[in-house]
Each structure stands twice: as C-alpha cells, then as structure tokens.
Amino acid sequence: MYKVTFLSPGEEPVTVEVDPVKFPLQEDGLPGSILDVALGNGIDLQHNCGGKCACTTCHVIVKQGMENLSKMEEDEEDRLDTAEGLTLESRLGCQAVAHGDVVVEIPMSGRGGHKPPSH
Ligand code: FES
C-alpha cells in the first residue's frame, strides 16, 4: 500500500491509499497511473484523449516522489513538450505509474478550468 496526494490550487489536498492488487481502478490510462488513481477515487483530472498519451489535459506536476513513478517513455516526453505550463517535474497523469508515495499538483488546466474564488 502507498499514498498518492493530489494538490489543487485553492482546494484542500486529498490523499488516497492505493492497493496495487486492485489496478486498474477504471478504464482510462495505464493501470496504476496517476489518472487511474485519481478517477478511481472520484478526483477530477481531465483526460480528453481517454488516457492514450494523445493530449496533455492530464498534465500533473510532481511535488514529491518522482523516484516512485515509472520512467518516462519517449511518447510521453514528446507529448509533454506541448503541455501548457510545462515544468521539469511535469508528467502525464495517464502514463506515470506510481509504485510508492507521491504528491502531485493538478494545474488549473487539469481541473476543467475551474478557478478558485478571487478576493
Ligand atoms: Fe490524454 Fe493523458 S489523457 S495524454
């Protein structure tokens, strides 16, 4: 068992416990990917291409535990290059498979454009 924590601007962090024997949790993205864990736990993460490495809407920024994610394949690297707000810690949620604790941020673009209230 390990933990995946999701951070979203303007929202409380959500941590879910993951049991790898239960993968896949749903149909989109690689089994055990960040997208799989998110959708399987009712967390909103955009996935316009259905988890096929053909868009960038599942872009997440890894805050902790990069070493606990699967190695980036060339397909993901090429696709990620076109992501809005790309960082050195960026991954595609549908391709990055966790095998240990990770903390990821879902950028605004991954939440369907919801913005926190401005004051
Ligand atoms: Fe389209 Fe991940 S859902 S690339």
Side-chain angles (χ1 to χ4, degrees):
M1 297 277 277
Y2 52 85
K3 290 182 182 143
V4 180
T5 300
F6 295 89
L7 310 175
S8 305
E11 289 179 30
E12 291 294 313
V14 179
T15 300
V16 294
E17 287 228 326
V18 177
D19 184 353
V21 299
K22 300 204 175 120
F23 293 145
L25 303 176
Q26 46 74 65
E27 294 169 356
D28 292 333
L30 296 180
S33 63
I34 298 294
L35 180 68
D36 189 21
V37 172
L39 299 183
N41 286 282
I43 294 164
D44 182 21
L45 177 57
Q46 295 289 298
H47 50 289
N48 288 1
C49 73
K52 308 245 179 320
C53 198
C55 70
T56 58
T57 54
C58 64
H59 173 204
V60 294
I61 299 168
V62 183
K63 296 293 187 181
Q64 281 173 40
M66 187 63 104
E67 68 281 5
N68 291 333
L69 290 172
S70 57
K71 203 173 144 290
M72 197 183 307
E73 303 288 341
E74 220 173 294
D75 275 4
E76 181 184 349
E77 207 171 330
D78 289 350
R79 179 60 56 190
L80 203 50
D81 267 349
T82 65
E84 189 187 325
L86 183 68
T87 75
L88 286 175
E89 284 77 40
S90 291
R91 293 294 306 261
L92 288 180
C94 68
Q95 302 298 305
V97 176
H99 47 79
D101 291 0
V102 287
V103 177
V104 298
E105 179 182 318
I106 302 176
M108 207 60 78
S109 54
R111 303 302 300 255
H114 302 307
K115 293 204 169 41
S118 55
H119 295 288

